[in-house]
């Protein structure tokens, strides 16, 4: 239960590190599992752009800031750069607004409601596509014989910024 970890709501500044040994991936990694995570984690708030992590047991592919993960060091943003795309152009810097404004105001997360003449992030560059590709890489990873593994895949969808490409 969240109360057993002293985490009773969203937006806590930092996950209590003295409870890290109760986290499932921490326990599994101590037992020899290869624990992977792709996407977001949210053990604590991301309000400042990057979550303060504890020893959670995960090997992490990071794409945490769902309203514009364009900073250097975010694995998704770096992958976009490797594809020849500037994340700054693809995802404009957000300002704080109501989530419902996102479909009509580009300044909210840099994303519009997709239309035939104005699509959002193309599906081959979308964070959900990236999560899927990284999950496949993790599953196909060369491990020790019979090494168990655990994978958590956490795309931003289906929560804001609701940036599905027009094809979806």
């Amino acid at each position: 239960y969240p109360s057993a970890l002293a985490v009773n709501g969203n937006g806590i500044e930092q996950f209590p590190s003295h409870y890290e040994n109760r986290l499932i991936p921490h326990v599994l990694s101590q037992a020899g599992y290869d624990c992977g995570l792709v996407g977001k984690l949210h053990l604590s708030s991301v309000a400042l752009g990057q979550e303060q992590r504890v020893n959670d047991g995960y090997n992490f592919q990071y794409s945490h800031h769902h309203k514009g993960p364009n900073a250097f060091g975010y694995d998704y943003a770096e992958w976009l750069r490797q594809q020849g795309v500037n994340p700054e152009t693809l995802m404009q810097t957000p300002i704080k607004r109501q989530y419902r404004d996102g479909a009509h105001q580009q300044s909210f997360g840099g994303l519009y409601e997709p239309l035939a003449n104005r699509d959002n992030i193309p599906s081959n560059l979308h964070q959900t596509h990236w999560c899927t590709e990284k999950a496949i890489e993790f599953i196909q990873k060369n491990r020790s014989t019979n090494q168990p593994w655990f994978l958590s895949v956490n795309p931003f969808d289906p929560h804001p910024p609701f940036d599905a490409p027009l094809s979806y």
Side-chain angles (χ1 to χ4, degrees):
Y1 290 105
S3 60
L5 298 172
V7 178
N8 296 311
N10 290 334
I12 63 169
E13 188 173 325
Q14 186 167 350
F15 183 84
S17 60
H18 55 279
Y19 288 132
E20 67 189 19
N21 62 343
R22 296 182 182 186
L23 296 171
I24 291 170
H26 180 94
V27 172
L28 291 175
S29 70
Q30 297 298 307
Y33 279 69
D34 182 11
C35 297
L37 185 140
V38 178
K40 60 188 172 78
L41 183 57
H42 289 331
L43 285 178
S44 62
S45 175
V46 71
L48 300 176
Q50 188 163 355
E51 180 175 355
Q52 298 298 311
R53 292 188 55 216
V54 295
N55 181 10
D56 50 48
Y58 281 123
N59 297 316
F60 203 59
Q61 289 286 319
Y62 194 76
S63 65
H64 201 79
H65 198 309
H66 58 280
K67 295 182 201 159
N70 51 24
F72 286 93
Y74 288 87
D75 294 313
Y76 172 52
E78 296 304 326
W79 177 82
L80 287 171
R81 289 181 183 97
Q82 291 170 3
Q83 308 311 304
V85 176
N86 180 353
E88 291 285 345
T89 304
L90 191 63
M91 295 168 284
Q92 301 296 315
T93 304
I95 61 171
K96 292 186 179 189
R97 300 246 168 129
Q98 294 297 320
Y99 279 120
R100 291 187 179 136
D101 293 342
H104 307 290
Q105 298 177 17
Q106 186 180 19
S107 59
F108 179 86
L111 303 165
Y112 282 120
E113 179 179 359
L115 302 171
N117 64 344
R118 185 186 67 215
D119 202 353
N120 274 334
I121 297 172
S123 59
N124 67 316
L125 299 174
H126 200 278
Q127 192 260 2
T128 301
H129 175 83
W130 175 82
C131 283
T132 303
E133 293 296 311
K134 291 299 176 181
I136 291 168
E137 283 179 26
F138 181 86
I139 291 167
Q140 294 177 340
K141 180 178 173 183
N142 187 15
R143 296 183 180 79
S144 301
T145 304
N146 297 324
Q147 182 183 15
W149 55 270
F150 171 80
L151 176 63
S152 179
V153 181
N154 299 311
F156 301 136
D157 296 328
H159 81 37
F162 306 119
D163 62 349
L166 182 62
S167 58
Y168 296 102

